[in-house]
C-alpha cells in the first residue's frame, strides 16, 4: 500500500516538474518525517528510470523553516519561562509552589496562539469583551482576570526577543515570500493555521501540490464504516451496507485483538508475538506504545530473549538513575541532610567513584550502626559528632566530611539559576558524580541538558531560592527526554504519530485500553473548549480526529497488526479502546466473527523462556533440624542467647550461628526498650550518689531522683516530643520506687554496684569450653550474701511466670551462675506496676545456678556431637520470632490445613 502511494507520488512529482520545466533538484517536498522522505527518495529514483538522480529537498515543515535566512535572535524557551516566572512572582497571583507549572501552561498557550496565527486585541478591555462573548456570559470577574492575565503577559513577553514559535512564523513568512520553486506536500497531518497560511501565500507565486494518501481498499472501507465522520447512521445499518459491498472480511490474518488479564500477562503475550515475527524474518516491527508501564516490562522480556529494542519514545530524564542522584543531592541540601537521604547518597554508585565499593558500603554500615546505638540525628555536623564518639568510624567520617565539603559549594541562600547550576556542577565534581554521569548514556544527556540551560540562562540575573531552583530542576528533568540511540534493531518502540507514512512488516499496539487510546494531551488551564474553538486553537475533537487518522493509516498500510490490552486491572474490568470495540462490534454484525484471538495467550505460556524463578514450586517440608560442625560451634554464649537455645534451638541456630539477627531500625521515636535503658541508667546514677537512702530526707531523695531523671530524658525530648509520655510514666513511679528501696534496706540489703559485666567459663568434653557472659543490672549485699536483681518494665504477671519456671526461662538462674559468689537471692524487680515489687526465683538460687551450668555443658557437648537443633518452639515463642519465615513453620506438612 505505501509502496504504491510513494510510486504514485513520485510519478506525479516528476510529471509536474516536467510540465513546468523545473529541475527536480530545485523542487521542495514536505513529508511528515525523514523515514517517509527516504522512501519517497527511493521511489523518485525508481520512477525516473535513472541510476543517478539529483535529489530535491525532501524535508519536514520545521526542517524546511530552518533553511530560511536568520532574521533575529531567538529567546530560548528556558529564558522566556524564567522571565515569565519573575513577572508572575512579582504579581503574586498564584501560589509560589505552582509558579513553574503556571509558566509552562502559559508558554504553551502563547505558542498555540502563535502557531494558530491568533492576533490579540491591543486593548485589554476589548479582549475581555471578546472572551465574554465566547464564553457566552455576562461581565464576570473570573473572565476579566483571565483576560487581564493573558493579555498583559502576552504583550509583556512580545516586547523582548523572539520566541521559537515567533521565529518559526517569521521563517515561514520568509520562505513563502521568496518562493522560487514548486512545492509538493506529501501526506502531511493536520497543519497549524500558520503552516496553512504559508502554503497559501507560497501558492501566490509558485505551484503548491498536495498529495494525500486516500486509500479505498477493503480495509479502508471497513474502517470507514466503523469510524465514520459522523455517527448519524446506526451501527447495524452500516454493517448491513458493508456486508453487501464486501461478502468476506479483509481483517482476519491482518488484525487481531488479544485480551490480557494482568501486566505480566500482557507483556508475555506481546513478547511472544514479537519473537514469532522475528522468527518469521520480519525486518520492520513497530511496537506502538500507548502504556509506558507495559512497554518497560515488554522491553525487559525481549532483552531477556536477547532481542534489543530501538526505543524512539524514550523515557523522561527524571526516571533515570542519573537524574535520581542529582535530584537527591539537591533535596538533601534543601532538607539539611536527613540521615536517610545521606545514607542513600553514600550507597549510590554515582558518588565517590575513587573509593572501592567495599569502602562505600563500610561507610554506610558504620553510619547506620552508630545511629542505631545513639538514635537518629540530621545534618552533617550532627552525624559527624555522633561518629566521633564511637570507634572504627573512619570511613563514615570521611564520607560525611566529603558531603559536607561538597555542600559548601551551595551555601548561598539565593542565586540566579546560572549560579545554582554552577554550584551544582562544582558539588557534583567534588563528589565524583560528574565523572560517573559522563560515563552513563542517560547521564551524558542530563549533563548536556544542564550545560545548555547554563548557557541559555547566562544573562538572567533573577534571584531564586534553593527551593525554587529545586522545583525548576525537577520540572526540567520531567520534560527532558532520554532516548538511547545506540541500538539499531528491527523492533522499534514508537508512538502513533511517528508511524505516519512509515512501512512496517508488522505492528503491535500495546496498552490499547480506553484510558490510553486515544491518548490526549492534558487539559488546558486557560479557556474552555468553546473559547478555544472560537479563537482557532486546537480542541480535543481536532486532536482525536488526527489520532484516528494515524490509526487508520497504520491499519491500512501494515499487513499484520496485533492489539494487546489488559482486560482486567486491579480486579476491575478494563475496557478496550472504544474505537477498537466499535470495530469489533461491526465485524461481528457484518461477518459474524470477533477479532479476539484467544490462542496467543496459550502460546505465550509455552513460549516463555525458562528461568530459575519459573521452576516448580518446592513441596512443603517438615520441621527443620540442622546440626553444626564441631568447628563452628560457638565458644561463648550470652544469657539471652542461652534463653533462646532453650526456648527454640533452631532460633538460636539462625540468630547466633548463622548470624541472621535482624538489625534494629533507626527510629526517631522513643520505644519501650529506650525507656528501659533510660530507667537503668537513672537508677545506676542515683545509687552511685546515694548508696544508702535510709538516713536521707525523702524530699531530698525525690529531688535528686527527679533531677537525674530529667537529665536522662532531655536528649530524648529533643528528638521526640512524645518521649514526654515515657518521662511522666517514670516520674510517677519514683515514690513507689523509693518506698521499695527503703523497705529493702530495712531488710538489710545494701546496693553494691550496677550494670556489671560478668563472664564464667565451663569446661566441655575433648578439651573444649563454653563461656557464659552477661550484664547484671544490680548487685546488692547483706553480710557475705549477694543478691542479683534485674530491672523489668514489663508485666509483673509475665515475670512471675518466668520466675516460677526456671527450666523454661534460664535468665535468673544464669545470672546466679555468673555471680559465682554466695547468692542469697536472684530476682526480677517489676517497675511496671503501681507498686514496685521483687519477684524472686522460686527455687534456691545456688541449686538453680548449678543446674543451669550442668544443662549448658550438656547442651554444648551435644552440639559438638552434631545434635540437631529443631524448630520446636511453642506458640508463645514463635509469635514474634523474626526467624519464622526462615524455618517456614506455617508451611510444614503437619501444619497445613487439611
Amino acid at each position: 500500500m505505501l509502496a504504491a502511494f510513494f510510486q504514485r507520488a513520485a510519478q506525479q512529482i516528476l510529471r509536474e516538474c516536467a510540465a513546468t520545466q523545473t529541475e527536480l533538484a530545485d523542487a521542495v517536498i514536505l513529508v511528515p518525517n525523514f523515514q517517509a522522505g527516504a522512501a519517497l527518495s527511493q521511489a523518485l529514483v525508481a520512477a525516473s528510470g535513472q541510476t543517478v538522480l539529483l535529489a530535491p529537498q525532501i524535508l519536514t515543515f520545521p526542517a524546511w523553516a530552518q533553511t530560511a535566512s536568520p532574521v533575529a535572535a531567538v529567546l530560548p524557551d528556558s529564558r522566556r519561562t524564567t522571565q515569565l516566572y519573575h513577572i508572575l512572582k512579582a504579581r503574586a497571583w498564584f501560589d509560589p509552589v505552582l509558579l513553574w507549572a503556571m509558566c509552562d501552561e502559559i508558554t504553551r498557550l502563547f505558542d498555540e496562539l502563535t502557531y494558530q496565527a491568533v492576533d490579540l486585541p491591543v486593548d485589554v478591555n476589548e479582549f475581555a469583551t471578546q472572551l465574554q462573548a465566547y464564553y457566552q456570559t455576562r461581565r464576570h470577574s473570573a473572565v476579566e482576570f483571565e483576560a487581564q492575565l493573558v493579555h498583559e503577559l502576552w504583550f509583556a513577553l512580545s516586547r523582548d526577543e523572539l520566541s521559537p514559535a515567533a521565529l518559526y512564523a517569521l521563517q515561514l513568512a520568509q520562505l513563502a515570500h521568496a518562493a522560487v520553486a514548486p512545492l509538493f506536500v506529501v501526506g502531511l497531518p493536520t497543519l497549524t493555521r500558520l503552516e496553512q497560511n504559508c502554503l497559501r501565500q507560497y501558492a501566490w507565486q509558485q505551484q503548491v501540490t498536495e498529495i494525500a494518501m486516500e486509500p479505498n481498499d477493503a480495509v479502508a472501507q471497513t474502517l470507514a464504516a466503523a469510524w465514520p465522520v459522523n455517527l448519524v447512521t446506526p451501527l447495524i445499518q452500516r454493517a448491513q451496507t458493508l456486508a453487501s459491498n464486501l461478502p468476506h472480511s479483509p481483517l482476519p490474518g491482518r488484525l487481531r485483538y488479544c485480551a490480557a488479564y494482568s501486566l505480566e500477562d500482557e507483556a508475555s503475550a506481546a513478547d511472544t508475538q514479537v519473537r514469532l515475527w522475528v522468527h518469521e524474518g520480519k525486518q520492520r516491527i513497530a511496537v506502538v506504545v500507548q502504556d509506558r508501564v507495559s512497554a518497560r516490562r515488554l522491553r525487559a522480556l525481549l532483552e531477556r530473549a536477547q532481542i534489543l529494542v530501538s526505543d524512539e519514545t524514550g523515557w523522561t530524564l527524571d526516571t533515570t538513575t542519573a537524574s535520581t542522584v542529582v535530584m537527591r543531592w539537591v533535596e538533601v541540601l534543601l532538607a539539611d541532610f536527613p540521615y536517610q537521604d545521606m545514607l542513600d547518597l553514600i550507597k549510590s554508585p554515582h558518588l565517590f567513584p575513587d573509593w572501592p565499593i567495599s569502602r562505600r558500603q563500610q561507610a554506610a554500615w558504620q553510619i547506620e550502626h552508630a545511629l542505631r546505638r545513639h538514635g537518629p540525628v540530621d545534618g552533617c555536623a550532627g552525624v559527624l559528632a555522633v561518629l566521633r564518639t564511637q570507634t572504627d568510624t573512619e570511613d563514615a567520617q570521611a564520607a560525611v566530611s566529603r558531603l559536607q565539603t561538597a555542600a559548601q559549594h551551595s551555601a548561598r541562600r539565593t542565586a540566579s539559576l546560572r549560579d545554582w547550576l554552577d554550584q551544582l556542577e562544582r558539588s557534583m565534581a567534588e563528589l565524583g558524580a560528574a565523572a560517573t554521569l559522563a560515563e552513563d548514556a542517560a547521564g551524558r544527556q542530563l549533563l548536556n541538558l544542564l550545560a545548555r540551560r547554563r548557557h541559555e540562562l547566562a544573562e538572567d540575573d533573577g534571584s531564586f531560592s534553593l527551593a525554587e531552583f529545586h522545583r525548576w530542576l525537577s520540572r526540567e528533568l520531567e520534560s527532558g527526554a532520554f532516548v538511547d540511540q545506540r541500538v539499531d534493531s528491527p523492533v522499534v518502540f514508537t508512538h502513533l504519530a511517528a508511524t505516519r507514512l512509515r512501512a512496517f512488516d508488522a505492528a503491535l499496539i500495546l496498552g490499547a485500553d480506553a484510558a490510553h487510546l486515544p491518548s490526549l494531551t492534558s487539559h488546558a488551564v486557560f479557556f474552555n473548549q468553546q473559547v478555544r474553538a472560537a479563537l482557532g486553537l486546537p480542541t480535543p475533537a481536532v486532536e482525536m480526529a488526527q489520532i484516528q487518522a494515524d490509526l487508520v493509516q497504520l491499519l491500512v498500510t501494515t499487513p499484520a497488526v496485533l492489539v494487546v490490552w489488559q482486560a482486567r486491572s486491579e480486579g476491575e474490568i478494563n475496557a478496550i479502546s472504544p474505537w477498537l470495540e466499535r470495530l469489533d462490534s461491526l465485524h461481528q454484525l457484518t461477518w459474524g466473527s470477533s477479532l479476539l484471538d484467544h490462542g496467543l495467550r496459550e502460546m505465550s505460556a509455552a513460549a516463555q523462556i525458562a528461568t530459575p524463578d519459573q521452576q516448580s514450586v518446592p513441596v512443603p517440608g517438615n520441621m527443620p533440624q540442622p546440626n553444626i560442625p564441631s568447628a563452628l560451634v560457638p565458644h561463648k554464649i550470652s544469657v539471652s542467647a542461652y534463653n533462646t537455645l532453650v526456648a527454640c534451638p533452631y532460633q538460636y541456630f539462625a540468630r547466633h550461628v548463622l548470624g541472621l539477627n535482624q538489625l534494629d531500625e533507626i527510629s526517631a521515636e522513643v520505644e519501650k526498650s529506650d525507656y528501659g535503658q533510660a530507667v537503668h541508667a537513672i537508677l545506676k546514677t542515683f545509687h552511685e550518689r546515694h548508696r544508702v537512702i535510709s538516713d536521707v530526707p525523702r524530699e531530698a531523695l525525690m529531688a535528686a531522683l527527679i533531677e537525674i531523671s530529667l537529665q536522662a530524658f532531655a536528649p530524648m525530648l529533643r528528638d521526640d516530643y512524645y518521649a514526654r509520655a515515657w518521662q511522666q510514666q517514670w516520674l510517677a513511679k519514683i515514690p513507689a520506687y523509693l518506698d521499695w528501696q527503703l523497705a529493702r534496706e530495712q531488710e538489710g540489703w545494701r546496693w553494691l554496684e550496677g550494670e556489671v559485666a560478668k563472664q564464667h567459663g565451663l569446661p566441655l568434653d575433648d578439651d573444649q569450653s563454653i563461656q557464659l557472659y552477661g550484664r547484671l543490672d544490680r548487685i546488692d549485699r547483706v553480710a557475705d550474701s549477694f543478691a542479683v536483681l534485674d530491672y523489668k518494665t514489663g508485666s509483673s504477671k509475665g515475670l512471675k511466670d518466668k520466675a516460677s519456671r526456671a527450666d523454661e526461662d534460664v535468665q535468673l538462674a544464669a545470672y546466679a551462675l555468673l555471680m559465682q559468689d554466695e547468692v542469697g537471692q536472684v530476682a526480677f524487680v517489676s517497675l511496671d506496676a503501681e507498686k514496685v515489687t521483687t519477684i524472686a526465683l522460686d527455687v534456691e538460687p545456688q541449686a538453680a545456678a548449678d543446674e543451669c551450668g550442668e544443662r549448658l555443658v550438656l547442651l554444648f557437648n551435644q552440639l559438638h556431637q552434631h545434635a540437631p537443633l529443631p524448630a520446636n518452639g511453642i506458640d508463645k515463642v514463635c509469635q514474634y520470632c523474626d526467624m519464622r519465615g526462615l524455618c517456614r513453620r506455617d508451611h510444614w506438612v503437619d501444619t497445613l490445613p487439611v
Side-chain angles (χ1 to χ4, degrees):
M1 173 68 73
L2 274 179
F5 168 71
F6 284 127
Q7 182 181 11
R8 175 171 63 84
Q11 291 171 350
Q12 184 174 349
I13 292 170
L14 291 172
R15 283 197 308 270
E16 296 195 11
C17 284
T20 58
Q21 297 182 344
T22 303
E23 292 291 336
L24 179 63
D26 294 333
V28 177
I29 304 174
L30 300 181
V31 291
N33 51 63
F34 287 107
Q35 291 89 342
L40 180 58
S41 180
Q42 294 174 0
L44 286 169
V45 173
S48 68
Q50 301 178 21
T51 56
V52 178
L53 184 69
L54 292 177
Q57 293 187 78
I58 305 179
L59 305 164
T60 62
F61 233 124
W64 183 44
Q66 293 296 321
T67 64
S69 302
V71 291
V74 65
L75 185 69
D77 280 334
S78 58
R79 179 73 185 282
R80 182 167 60 131
T81 305
T82 55
Q83 288 185 357
L84 185 57
Y85 185 92
H86 295 317
I87 297 172
L88 291 179
K89 186 177 179 181
R91 298 293 190 278
W93 281 336
F94 303 104
D95 185 334
V97 176
L98 303 177
L99 282 187
W100 287 118
M102 291 305 302
C103 290
D104 291 336
E105 185 66 34
I106 293 170
T107 52
R108 276 195 297 269
L109 172 64
F110 288 175
D111 286 343
E112 286 184 325
L113 291 170
T114 303
Y115 288 132
Q116 299 304 327
V118 177
D119 291 326
L120 297 186
V122 176
D123 183 66
V124 65
N125 294 323
E126 182 182 348
F127 183 50
T129 302
Q130 192 178 79
L131 284 187
Q132 288 166 8
Y134 293 155
Y135 275 114
Q136 296 181 354
T137 183
R138 295 181 179 180
R139 188 178 183 90
H140 194 282
S141 59
V143 176
E144 291 179 351
F145 172 74
E146 190 173 48
Q148 179 190 358
L149 183 147
V150 172
H151 190 275
E152 181 177 335
L153 296 178
W154 170 265
F155 283 98
L157 292 181
S158 298
R159 301 189 196 101
D160 297 314
E161 299 170 274
L162 294 175
S163 69
L167 176 65
Y168 184 59
L170 291 178
Q171 289 171 328
L172 292 185
Q174 183 186 119
L175 291 172
H177 178 73
V180 294
L183 180 65
F184 297 92
V185 180
V186 180
L188 290 188
T190 303
L191 300 177
T192 65
R193 192 184 298 172
L194 199 64
E195 293 164 339
Q196 293 171 9
N197 291 343
C198 173
L199 295 181
R200 190 178 305 111
Q201 294 170 12
Y202 197 101
W204 293 346
Q205 303 180 66
Q206 289 288 336
Q207 181 177 343
V208 176
T209 303
E210 296 191 35
I211 305 174
M213 183 178 179
E214 298 176 351
N216 194 31
D217 61 359
V219 175
Q221 293 178 40
T222 303
L223 298 178
W227 308 327
V229 177
N230 57 68
L231 297 175
V232 176
T233 306
L235 183 65
I236 184 67
Q237 188 174 334
R238 301 201 302 271
Q240 292 169 353
T241 303
L242 186 62
S244 63
N245 295 332
L246 296 174
H248 303 289
S249 171
L251 298 183
R254 188 182 186 94
L255 175 62
R256 294 172 296 140
Y257 296 176
C258 177
Y261 293 92
S262 67
L263 173 63
E264 191 65 26
D265 193 23
E266 179 186 26
S268 178
D271 166 58
T272 301
Q273 183 60 77
V274 171
R275 287 197 279 140
L276 286 172
W277 283 336
V278 171
H279 181 72
E280 293 169 6
K282 298 187 185 301
Q283 295 299 310
R284 295 167 299 181
I285 302 170
V287 177
V288 180
V289 175
Q290 298 298 123
D291 182 357
R292 287 302 306 173
V293 175
S294 300
R296 283 196 292 269
R297 183 57 187 144
L298 172 59
R299 178 171 183 158
L301 294 180
L302 289 173
E303 290 183 349
R304 192 173 70 180
Q306 299 183 347
I307 298 176
L308 296 180
V309 171
S310 177
D311 193 345
E312 298 177 352
T313 61
W315 302 276
T316 56
L317 274 175
D318 66 319
T319 61
T320 64
T321 56
S323 171
T324 301
V325 70
V326 173
M327 286 303 299
R328 181 55 59 89
W329 172 248
V330 178
E331 290 163 1
V332 163
L333 291 173
L334 190 60
D336 192 21
F337 288 89
Y339 73 89
Q340 303 97 323
D341 294 341
M342 185 186 300
L343 285 169
D344 286 345
L345 277 174
I346 293 174
K347 294 174 184 177
S348 170
H350 285 289
L351 265 62
F352 310 156
D354 51 324
W355 285 16
I357 296 176
S358 58
R359 186 182 181 190
R360 193 168 62 242
Q361 293 174 337
Q362 182 71 9
W365 181 88
Q366 288 173 0
I367 294 173
E368 289 183 271
H369 183 69
L371 295 183
R372 283 193 186 95
R373 297 179 62 183
H374 177 275
V377 293
D378 291 330
C380 290
V383 173
L384 279 174
V386 171
L387 292 173
R388 287 167 183 156
T389 64
Q390 303 186 25
T391 59
D392 298 326
T393 60
E394 291 78 10
D395 291 332
Q397 291 184 48
V400 177
S401 296
R402 199 163 173 180
L403 293 176
Q404 192 176 40
T405 302
Q408 293 173 358
H409 294 296
S410 303
R412 296 173 59 182
R413 297 179 63 85
T414 61
S416 68
L417 291 178
R418 167 65 185 266
D419 289 340
W420 280 123
L421 288 170
D422 287 341
Q423 295 173 43
L424 178 62
E425 181 182 37
R426 289 193 293 270
S427 59
M428 288 288 103
E430 178 73 33
L431 297 171
T436 56
L437 290 174
E439 296 172 357
D440 177 74
R444 285 193 296 273
Q445 293 192 25
L446 170 62
L447 293 176
N448 290 337
L449 172 66
L450 298 182
R452 284 198 307 274
R453 296 295 180 262
R454 189 183 302 111
H455 173 72
E456 293 168 356
L457 298 170
E459 298 181 8
D460 184 85
D461 56 359
S463 181
F464 297 86
S465 67
L466 180 57
E468 290 175 306
F469 172 69
H470 172 260
R471 290 193 290 269
W472 174 84
L473 184 61
S474 175
R475 157 193 161 277
E476 286 290 332
L477 298 182
E478 286 174 3
S479 58
F482 165 61
V483 179
D484 192 346
Q485 300 174 338
R486 299 171 297 176
V487 178
D488 184 15
S489 170
V491 181
V492 178
F493 279 24
T494 189
H495 48 86
L496 192 56
T499 64
R500 295 164 186 161
L501 291 188
R502 292 175 65 179
F504 296 106
D505 298 328
L508 188 149
I509 303 177
L510 185 68
D513 54 45
H516 294 96
L517 183 68
S519 179
L520 301 176
T521 55
S522 58
H523 178 68
V525 173
F526 298 101
F527 310 144
N528 63 21
Q529 302 310 315
Q530 178 178 319
V531 175
R532 291 179 65 85
L535 289 171
L537 300 178
T539 61
V542 174
E543 188 178 358
M544 287 180 65
Q546 183 58 61
I547 295 172
Q548 190 177 93
D550 293 335
L551 180 60
V552 167
Q553 189 176 105
L554 177 68
L555 297 180
V556 167
T557 60
T558 308
V561 178
L562 174 69
V563 173
V564 186
W565 88 102
Q566 294 181 54
R568 295 193 72 84
S569 177
E570 298 181 356
E572 300 291 335
I573 295 175
N574 189 38
I576 192 173
S577 165
W579 292 345
L580 296 171
E581 184 177 25
R582 196 189 314 158
L583 176 58
D584 186 55
S585 299
L586 176 77
H587 200 277
Q588 293 184 55
L589 290 171
T590 306
W591 296 291
S593 62
S594 173
L595 296 172
L596 279 170
D597 178 10
H598 300 288
L600 183 61
R601 290 182 61 249
E602 299 174 3
M603 190 183 302
S604 67
Q608 288 182 6
I609 299 172
T611 58
D613 62 337
Q614 292 171 343
Q615 301 300 321
S616 58
V617 177
V619 297
N622 293 307
M623 178 191 296
Q625 302 185 57
N627 53 48
I628 313 172
S630 180
L632 298 181
V633 174
H635 296 289
K636 61 180 182 178
I637 186 171
S638 67
V639 172
S640 63
Y642 185 9
N643 229 0
T644 300
L645 178 61
V646 172
C648 177
Y650 185 85
Q651 186 183 141
Y652 170 79
F653 169 76
R655 283 181 178 276
H656 302 285
V657 178
L658 299 182
L660 298 179
N661 262 326
Q662 186 177 23
L663 292 175
D664 295 332
E665 293 183 358
I666 302 173
S667 175
E669 297 179 357
V670 176
E671 299 177 351
K672 190 164 187 176
S673 59
D674 302 313
Y675 167 69
Q677 292 174 13
V679 170
H680 281 58
I682 290 167
L683 294 179
K684 180 177 183 294
T685 302
F686 174 73
H687 286 295
E688 285 176 342
R689 296 178 184 177
H690 303 277
R691 306 182 76 88
V692 179
I693 69 171
S694 300
D695 300 330
V696 181
R698 187 178 179 88
E699 294 77 10
L701 294 173
M702 285 284 294
L705 195 47
I706 290 174
E707 179 186 0
I708 295 169
S709 300
L710 294 177
Q711 292 173 353
F713 277 99
M716 301 182 190
L717 293 174
R718 284 196 299 268
D719 296 330
D720 180 13
Y721 173 82
Y722 295 101
R724 193 173 304 277
W726 290 110
Q727 182 190 67
Q728 293 304 314
Q729 180 175 328
W730 165 244
L731 292 177
K733 288 181 170 49
I734 288 178
Y737 180 79
L738 292 177
D739 291 342
W740 172 84
Q741 177 62 24
L742 287 169
R744 188 161 182 80
E745 290 184 4
Q746 290 174 3
E747 294 174 4
W749 293 105
R750 294 293 183 267
W751 185 90
L752 182 63
E753 54 185 335
E755 302 297 321
V756 184
K758 290 281 189 178
Q759 57 186 17
H760 176 57
L762 297 168
L764 304 176
D765 296 342
D766 299 325
D767 296 326
Q768 301 281 354
S769 65
I770 180 66
Q771 186 178 73
L772 177 68
Y773 67 94
R775 180 174 293 274
L776 311 184
D777 289 350
R778 170 171 170 167
I779 300 174
D780 284 3
R781 183 173 183 173
V782 56
D784 294 330
S785 181
F786 296 89
V788 180
L789 303 180
D790 191 63
Y791 297 126
K792 292 293 185 183
T793 57
S795 165
S796 59
K797 180 181 183 303
L799 297 177
K800 291 177 181 177
D801 291 340
K802 290 182 178 182
S804 63
R805 299 175 180 175
D807 57 334
E808 294 182 7
D809 190 295
V810 299
Q811 184 178 5
L812 291 181
Y815 285 160
L817 177 61
L818 283 174
M819 192 63 199
Q820 284 299 294
D821 287 310
E822 182 65 32
V823 178
Q825 184 185 55
V826 57
F828 296 120
V829 178
S830 174
L831 302 173
D832 186 59
E834 293 183 3
K835 181 180 179 182
V836 177
T837 56
T838 306
I839 304 173
L841 190 66
D842 279 359
V843 298
E844 197 274 325
Q846 197 58 53
D850 294 341
E851 184 180 347
C852 180
E854 292 171 1
R855 186 179 190 180
L856 183 61
V857 169
L858 175 64
L859 288 174
F860 270 80
N861 278 331
Q862 290 175 342
L863 291 181
H864 279 287
Q865 296 168 8
H866 312 297
L869 292 161
N872 58 7
I874 61 176
D875 290 342
K876 185 177 180 180
V877 173
C878 295
Q879 186 175 3
Y880 301 108
C881 178
D882 294 332
M883 304 301 150
R884 188 173 184 132
L886 188 63
C887 77
R888 296 183 61 81
R889 177 190 177 104
D890 299 319
H891 303 280
W892 297 344
V893 173
D894 57 352
T895 62
L896 294 175
V898 179

